[in-house]
């Protein structure tokens, strides 16, 4: 899950061109070089390469005159990259306040990371609040549809959970479609729609034959839909 959700951008190519531009020796180019460096740092952020982004921000601070950049913003970006490195290493507590500040400053794409921090400390209300911020700003992708589905299952609102699983399955983004299809079956079972859940499960085990949880849920539904009505001990031969 990247720092930002825009698609169709090749950030590696962009970094290559920025690097070439920095290599061009020109007089009075310091202001332009600062812009190039900052664009390159942003590209690294969007690739989740937080260490490289921090390296550039730190270099700008040391190398260039303060009149060519916003000092307060640069200091915040250095702090932010430090906390994003902690986040990427599995620390979901320390970075929380800095990430929330970033969201308040307009980096709404980071609301996804704030939500993940809250999820990891089991604060589901705040988790959903920040998922809402993300979806209102950037829309719902398959990951977000999955997280909403899981959230509503957790609070036993299976109708809403089902609506999100259906929405996620129909998105062009298919990254989490397997998980969404499984939860779609779960929601239908919870809503006692056993026949439809069985139809979904039949398709699921064909698509994902190695998924043991899918196989188990299919076998469970099979016992509900295709019940053997003949007694084991038909001592009076009533079912011949």
């Amino acid at each position: 899950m990247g720092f930002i959700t825009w698609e169709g951008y090749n950030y590696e190519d962009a970094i290559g061109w920025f690097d070439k531009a920095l290599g061009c020796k020109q007089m009075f180019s310091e202001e332009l070089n600062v812009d190039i460096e900052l664009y390159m740092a942003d590209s690294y952020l969007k690739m989740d390469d937080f260490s490289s982004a921090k390296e550039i921000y730190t270099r700008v601070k040391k190398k260039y005159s303060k009149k060519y950049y916003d000092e307060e913003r640069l200091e915040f970006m250095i702090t932010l990259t430090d906390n994003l490195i902690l986040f990427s290493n599995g620390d979901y507590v320390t970075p929380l306040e800095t990430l929330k500040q970033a969201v308040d400053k307009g980096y709404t794409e980071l609301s996804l990371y704030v939500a993940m921090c809250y999820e990891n400390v089991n604060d589901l209300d705040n988790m959903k609040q920040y998922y809402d911020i993300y979806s209102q700003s950037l829309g719902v992708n398959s990951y977000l549809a999955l997280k909403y589905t899981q959230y509503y299952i957790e609070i036993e609102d299976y109708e809403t959970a089902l609506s999100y699983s259906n929405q996620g399955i129909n998105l062009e983004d298919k990254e989490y479609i397997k998980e969404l299809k499984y939860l779609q079956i779960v929601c239908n079972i919870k809503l006692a729609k056993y026949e439809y859940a069985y139809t979904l499960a039949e398709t699921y085990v064909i698509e994902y034959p190695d998924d043991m949880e899918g196989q188990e849920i299919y076998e469970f539904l099979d016992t509900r839909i295709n019940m053997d009505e003949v007694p084991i001990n038909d001592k009076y031969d009533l079912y011949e």
Side-chain angles (χ1 to χ4, degrees):
M1 191 60 59
F3 178 80
I4 198 165
T5 57
W6 299 332
E7 296 179 357
Y9 290 84
N10 189 325
Y11 296 114
E12 289 185 2
D13 282 355
I15 287 168
W17 285 108
F18 289 140
D19 202 37
K20 287 180 181 179
L22 286 173
C24 296
K25 301 298 182 183
Q26 301 180 53
M27 294 181 65
F28 312 112
S29 63
E30 188 172 0
E31 184 175 5
L32 176 61
N33 286 346
V34 170
D35 287 341
I36 293 170
E37 295 259 32
L38 294 177
Y39 280 128
M40 188 155 50
D42 284 348
S43 296
Y44 277 119
L45 282 177
K46 291 161 187 172
M47 294 169 58
D48 287 350
D49 188 345
F50 307 129
S51 295
S52 294
K54 181 191 174 182
E55 183 179 329
I56 293 173
Y57 290 132
T58 304
R59 182 168 68 233
V60 168
K61 179 181 176 181
K62 291 179 178 179
K63 184 176 179 180
Y64 298 101
S65 170
K66 293 178 182 179
K67 67 181 179 180
Y68 294 124
Y69 59 84
D70 183 329
E71 185 179 4
E72 183 179 349
R73 180 181 183 277
L74 186 67
E75 290 290 351
F76 179 75
M77 294 309 293
I78 293 171
T79 301
L80 178 60
T81 49
D82 280 335
N83 281 272
L84 286 168
I85 291 167
L86 292 173
F87 175 88
S88 65
N89 289 330
D91 183 347
Y92 301 108
V93 177
T94 309
L96 182 56
E97 289 306 315
T98 298
L99 293 176
K100 286 168 62 178
Q101 289 175 28
V103 173
D104 291 341
K105 288 177 180 290
Y107 297 96
T108 50
E109 61 270 29
L110 289 177
S111 57
L112 201 62
Y113 292 175
V114 176
M116 292 167 69
C117 288
Y118 277 123
E119 181 180 9
N120 277 277
V121 297
N122 204 34
D123 185 341
L124 298 186
D125 290 337
N126 275 312
M127 177 197 77
K128 182 179 179 297
Q129 176 187 341
Y130 278 89
Y131 281 141
D132 289 345
I133 292 171
Y134 185 93
S135 64
Q136 289 161 11
S137 177
L138 296 162
V140 176
N141 54 28
S142 67
Y143 175 80
L144 201 58
L146 174 64
K147 302 314 292 185
Y148 274 128
T149 302
Q150 292 172 335
Y151 169 77
Y152 283 107
I153 287 175
E154 182 70 22
I155 65 171
E156 300 183 1
D157 182 351
Y158 302 115
E159 288 283 3
T160 306
L162 182 58
S163 71
Y164 274 107
S165 66
N166 291 340
Q167 180 182 352
I169 289 166
N170 290 319
L171 292 171
E172 289 185 14
D173 165 22
K174 302 298 182 186
E175 187 173 356
Y176 294 93
I177 192 167
K178 177 183 175 183
E179 295 84 352
L180 287 162
K181 285 184 174 182
Y182 179 83
L183 293 181
Q184 183 187 45
I185 299 167
V186 170
C187 290
N188 277 283
I189 291 172
K190 293 293 186 179
L191 294 167
K193 299 176 181 179
Y194 298 116
E195 290 190 6
Y196 185 56
Y198 179 67
T199 300
L200 294 173
E202 278 187 308
T203 303
Y204 185 90
V205 295
I206 293 170
E207 287 183 302
Y208 310 106
D210 298 326
D211 189 296
M212 296 308 299
E213 289 185 340
Q215 191 64 44
E216 288 172 4
I217 208 168
Y218 169 73
E219 291 172 359
F220 162 75
L221 286 163
D222 190 51
T223 63
R224 298 297 297 259
I225 301 301
N226 300 314
M227 291 185 290
D228 187 355
E229 297 180 356
V230 179
I232 295 174
N233 297 312
D234 183 18
K235 61 187 294 185
Y236 298 108
D237 298 325
L238 296 176
Y239 288 87
E240 286 188 350

